Amino acid sequence: MNETQYHTELQDFELAFDAHYAKVLVNPSNQMIICELLVDYIPIEDFKEIFARIGEIVKAGNYQKFIFDKRSLRAFHQPTMEWYFIHWKKDMLEYGITKHRKILPAEKWFEKMVQIAKAQILQNYPENIIEHLDIQYCDSIEEAIAK
């Protein structure tokens, strides 16, 4: 693990890894992980690879909160969101990740696409785990840490 520290108003985080598409920070003492996307589009296989690495961090630690900063995205990909929601979140719930904080791009069309996709996923997958999760949308990492 890299010793680089990232300071926010509330917590200190360590850099877990920095990939081409994302930067992942951890704060084991406060049981939080932050994934900050760095590009406007991530191919689904690369997305799955990043989240597999995050999954290994979750499985090796004791985390409860996952903060997902998607502000850099300029493309919305339904199959990626579906995989993330149905498979990854379900797997991570078994390891204690119950709090999800999301920071969306400022563009209103992106938020609308997320709402439409989420409604579709809930309809297509009635045995989803949403009732077991605390999902909130935030405007900044500092807000997401505090909520």
Side-chain angles (χ1 to χ4, degrees), residues 72-121:
S72 69
L73 290 181
R74 297 296 173 263
F76 182 86
H77 188 245
Q78 172 73 16
T80 301
M81 181 177 175
E82 196 169 293
W83 176 85
Y84 166 72
F85 194 88
I86 296 301
H87 300 287
W88 191 82
K89 280 186 180 181
K90 183 179 179 186
D91 291 346
M92 295 305 104
L93 178 61
E94 293 177 27
Y95 291 93
I97 300 286
T98 57
K99 298 176 185 176
H100 292 263
R101 301 298 180 261
K102 300 176 184 212
I103 308 166
L104 298 177
E107 293 81 3
K108 289 296 175 196
W109 67 264
F110 196 96
E111 184 178 340
K112 189 69 174 169
M113 291 299 297
V114 167
Q115 292 170 352
I116 291 167
K118 185 176 176 182
Q120 238 177 1
I121 290 169

Side-chain angles (χ1 to χ4, degrees), residues 14-30:
E14 250 181 51
L15 181 64
F17 68 89
D18 193 350
H20 175 70
Y21 296 110
K23 177 170 53 178
V24 176
L25 308 165
V26 296
N27 185 324
S29 61
N30 288 313

Side-chain angles (χ1 to χ4, degrees), residues 17 19-22 24 35-39 41-55 66 68-70 73 75 77-89 102 110:
F17 68 89
H20 175 70
Y21 296 110
V24 176
C35 176
E36 178 186 357
L37 299 183
L38 303 174
V39 296
Y41 172 75
I42 302 173
I44 189 168
E45 291 308 317
D46 295 310
F47 184 89
K48 287 179 178 182
E49 185 179 306
I50 290 165
F51 277 76
R53 288 180 73 183
I54 295 169
F66 180 70
F68 193 7
D69 184 349
K70 309 181 203 181
L73 290 181
H77 188 245
Q78 172 73 16
T80 301
M81 181 177 175
E82 196 169 293
W83 176 85
Y84 166 72
F85 194 88
I86 296 301
H87 300 287
W88 191 82
K89 280 186 180 181
K102 300 176 184 212
F110 196 96

Side-chain angles (χ1 to χ4, degrees), residues 1 5-6 8 10-16 24-34 57 62-65 67 145:
M1 191 141 335
Q5 296 288 313
Y6 290 82
T8 68
L10 304 173
Q11 309 293 333
D12 292 338
F13 286 83
E14 250 181 51
L15 181 64
V24 176
L25 308 165
V26 296
N27 185 324
S29 61
N30 288 313
Q31 301 176 309
M32 292 185 220
I33 298 176
I34 297 172
I57 294 167
N62 182 25
Y63 295 96
Q64 292 182 357
K65 184 187 283 188
I67 299 169
I145 290 168

